[in-house]
Amino acid sequence: MNFNSMIKKNKSRIINIWLKKFTDTYSEQSGKFFRDNQGQFSNPVGYTFRVNMEKIFDELFLENDQEKMSEYVDGITRIRAVQGFPPSVSVSFVPMLRESIWEVCGREIAREGMHQEWLELNVKFEELMQLAFDTYMSCRELLWKQRADFLHTRTHKLLERAGFITRAGK
Amino acid sequence: MAISKPDVLYRNISHKPPETNWMDVPLEIKPGRYCYAADPEPLEYVGMPNPRKWNPLDDDWKLPENWKETVISGMKERLEKFRSFKVFMDICVRCGACADKCHYFIGSGDPKNMPVLRAELLRSVYRGEITKAGQILGRFAGGRELTENVLKEIWYYYYQCSECRRCSVFCPYGIDQAEITIIGRELLNLLGLNIDWIAKPAANCYRTGNHLGIQPHAFKDMIDFFCDDIEEITGIRPEPTFNKKGADYLFITPSGDVFADPGTYTCMGYLILFHYLKEEYGMDITWSTYASEGGNFGFFTSHELMKRLNAKMYMEAKRLGVKWILGGECGHMWRVLHQYMDSMNGPPDFLEVPVSPITGTRFQHAASTKMIHIVEFVADLMKHNKLRLDKSRNDNLRVTFHDSCNPSRGLGFLEEPRYVINKVCNNFFEMPLETIREQTFCCGGGSGLNAGENEEIRMMGGLPRANAVKSVRDRHGVNMLANICAIDRATLSAMMAYWQPDVGVTGVHEMVGNALILPGEQERETDLRGEPLPGKEEDE
């Protein structure tokens, strides 16, 4: 069995371990809620995590399309970026994927001597980490931009209404 | 000391929070989740206790010396006064039905945002300090002592509850967390523990007549700006009246509609509608620059302040001698009106039971309060074919509707807005049933929590709504989120910009204003936002 097939065969186990690790960053009850409630609308956080984790996993072993990958990473990171975690914990789902795969398949990888393939996969994890970092930063910057725009617009409007500034042509 | 090797350090990193009983989890006031403390001036203005400068991040909250006695005696007084509060303190069986229903919990995963646990913060004090069982058995009976840390925890989480009442829909006993939060905040206010985003609007409203403190001339100026824009778009200039004694009807809307986009377009919709009604049916509606606020931030402070602010609307109606009051698209204005007004300030016998002068419909449900919602009034007009509409002007919109918490759960107002939307636009799509109507998710900014500094908790709380919007955007190409609440319009705009940037936010009457055909109007090229109408894009 080749490297990719061996990992893909264990997909559901890996995803479950991955989701468990990631949701363990919340308190016990909340992590359980995010994992166990399958509702798309009653549990948007858990649902979005699971769906996007599955897509990330699949994409890693398909074409690793950066556009699609960005969308999936965004799904998870956009939520984490507003939940008050330190940045490193917000994007910790990436190293957790590596850990989860190793926990499930590490012994076989070592036994079969698939070190080269494992190294190549690790390069993809690093790219994924960079993507997650960029997404996290864009989310945080958007939040601050919204705040800055709000203050800027309000101040400008007030000055304009008070007659302190006049636009050219008026 | 030797530094551990990287792999050892890495293995020792745990992202898992420690498991602790909820009473032992230390309070951490996190930026992005709390609002700034109320300044002393607004508290002084309305006569609230303990006005002073303080900061929630400081150890010393500058509480009065007898703070504990004040809270406990205040609680005892309210247990006597409000039977609902007494029942809600006693009957919870911790079944957990509410636990995963709060948008803040669903979005944040903070267990103390579970309604059951949020209530328990106060309930444990009730047991520990007031009930015999709790005083004897203490923690074993779920009781705890009221300490400064406990008080701070109550403050932190009771200003993370938007009083939306979604949890109460699922509680088998009907325990209403909003009522518990209302009393909790009232107790906090006995110590001067309000937030600035509530205290200032409440004082402004008490003094000037609206939350923003817009003075009469500025209020009129703003409406005049809107009339300029309407004239440019339609060729017709509405001529609203202000403070007109002897007018037939008084119109009161949230001041957000006058000063904040996209509510301003909703306000333009009102102006177009009132002009139409005046021209076609001679309906004489006046605006007040004194009772210029539909919202009631007293509601988020204390029953007493809510009563005082609500009374201003009725005093103005009496002064002007109108028949009844028409209210704009607002959220909690309607909860105050529907659930509290009549026993606080009613019945206003100087007003008449609202009857539409155009259709003859008698709004019996408002027989006592004498005030009706513009959406039910307009739905009635539409039902009787009294408005000429061109709904194709909204064909560029693919609309879904967010039920605002207060009109839906507080007023049972479910069909009327949908009826109006379907009359003015061709593309309407419902979000999943478990996210609308009685089960609607809060926008995340209700009950005075729409401050700049707590945006992150709002983003978390808004996620369940945004997630439902995403589903109709993906399935039906929805690009507009309609609602009938000024707080929604403010909160959802920022929220959509983060979660679903290609979906805009509108009030229902903005779409009414676009569709309504004014007598003698010119051919419109743009909608009320100045964007080209469908089919007019090439003419730009």
Side-chain angles (χ1 to χ4, degrees), chain B residues 81-208:
Chain B
K81 200 170 165 185
F82 301 108
R83 186 181 295 179
S84 56
F85 182 51
K86 174 85 172 85
V87 170
F88 297 160
M89 286 294 102
D90 282 328
I91 62 169
C92 176
V93 290
R94 262 67 104 224
C95 72
C98 65
D100 55 357
K101 303 303 186 296
C102 172
H103 50 292
Y104 291 125
F105 171 69
I106 293 173
S108 74
D110 184 340
K112 285 179 184 167
N113 275 324
M114 292 178 179
V116 57
L117 204 41
R118 189 184 282 115
E120 206 64 14
L121 298 176
L122 196 61
R123 209 177 266 131
S124 57
V125 172
Y126 161 68
R127 285 199 212 96
E129 297 284 0
I130 294 176
T131 68
K132 281 276 176 291
Q135 282 172 337
I136 295 165
L137 298 170
R139 201 157 153 158
F140 186 69
R144 62 177 174 169
E145 190 193 344
L146 178 60
T147 62
E148 270 196 44
N149 275 340
V150 168
L151 182 77
K152 288 176 178 178
E153 191 176 41
I154 293 171
W155 179 85
Y156 183 57
Y157 285 104
Y158 277 51
Y159 286 100
Q160 282 182 46
C161 167
S162 59
E163 302 179 5
C164 80
R165 304 174 82 210
R166 186 170 195 266
C167 51
S168 72
V169 173
F170 298 89
C171 174
Y173 285 113
I175 295 173
D176 188 347
Q177 173 60 44
E179 295 279 335
I180 300 173
T181 298
I182 288 165
I183 301 285
R185 289 191 185 181
E186 197 165 291
L187 295 171
L188 293 165
N189 269 282
L190 296 175
L191 308 174
L193 297 177
N194 206 339
I195 61 170
D196 205 46
W197 214 78
I198 292 176
K200 273 212 182 91
N204 286 341
C205 196
Y206 188 59
R207 182 188 58 190
T208 316

Side-chain angles (χ1 to χ4, degrees), chain B residues 314-453:
Chain B
Y314 285 90
M315 288 164 76
E316 181 68 342
K318 191 175 187 178
R319 186 179 77 87
L320 298 177
V322 298
K323 292 177 182 165
W324 45 265
I325 307 172
L326 183 63
E329 292 186 18
C330 183
H332 63 270
M333 161 160 79
W334 294 99
R335 177 129 141 246
V336 170
L337 189 91
H338 190 64
Q339 297 190 320
Y340 302 100
M341 179 273 160
D342 210 22
S343 52
M344 287 187 312
N345 292 318
D349 292 334
F350 48 89
L351 297 175
E352 297 174 11
V353 175
V355 174
S356 170
I358 299 163
T359 66
T361 298
R362 180 184 162 95
F363 294 90
Q364 189 60 35
H365 70 88
S368 191
T369 60
K370 315 289 198 299
M371 181 166 176
I372 58 170
H373 195 296
I374 192 164
V375 171
E376 59 186 320
F377 177 70
V378 167
D380 175 62
L381 292 173
M382 289 174 167
K383 179 81 178 166
H384 290 86
N385 292 317
K386 298 294 182 188
L387 302 178
R388 283 183 64 223
L389 300 162
D390 176 2
K391 64 200 298 195
S392 73
R393 287 180 188 162
N394 287 317
D395 274 354
N396 54 333
L397 305 180
R398 298 179 71 77
V399 180
T400 192
F401 180 65
H402 161 79
D403 289 90
S404 312
C405 307
N406 289 305
S408 60
R409 277 189 285 269
L411 194 63
F413 216 67
L414 306 171
E415 301 305 331
E416 294 87 342
R418 290 177 166 78
Y419 185 83
V420 172
I421 292 171
N422 277 307
K423 286 283 180 185
V424 296
C425 87
N426 285 309
N427 310 304
F428 175 63
F429 307 93
E430 290 280 19
M431 284 180 273
L433 191 59
E434 65 196 280
T435 71
I436 55 170
R437 296 179 177 261
E438 295 91 340
Q439 297 184 59
T440 188
F441 280 113
C442 179
C443 63
S447 82
L449 302 184
N450 197 22
E453 64 272 17

Side-chain angles (χ1 to χ4, degrees), chain A residues 24-28 30 33-34 40-41 44-45 78 81-83 96 99 139-140 142 146-147 157 161, chain B residues 10 15-17 19 33 100 105-107 109 111 222 261 432 441 455-456 460 463 467 471 494 497-499:
Chain A
D24 273 351
T25 54
Y26 300 91
S27 70
E28 191 184 358
S30 312
F33 166 69
F34 290 148
Q40 180 180 355
F41 301 105
V45 171
R78 191 163 294 272
V82 292
Q83 286 183 326
M96 285 171 179
E99 289 163 27
C139 289
R140 297 301 309 174
L142 175 61
Q146 282 195 37
R147 211 173 290 180
K157 274 186 178 171
R161 298 231 167 92
Chain B
Y10 184 71
H15 295 304
K16 195 169 162 51
E19 289 172 25
R33 301 191 186 201
D100 55 357
F105 171 69
I106 293 173
M222 279 310 302
D261 294 344
F441 280 113
E455 189 179 29
E456 281 172 36
M460 288 181 255
L463 172 59
N467 181 59
S471 75
Y498 184 76
W499 294 111

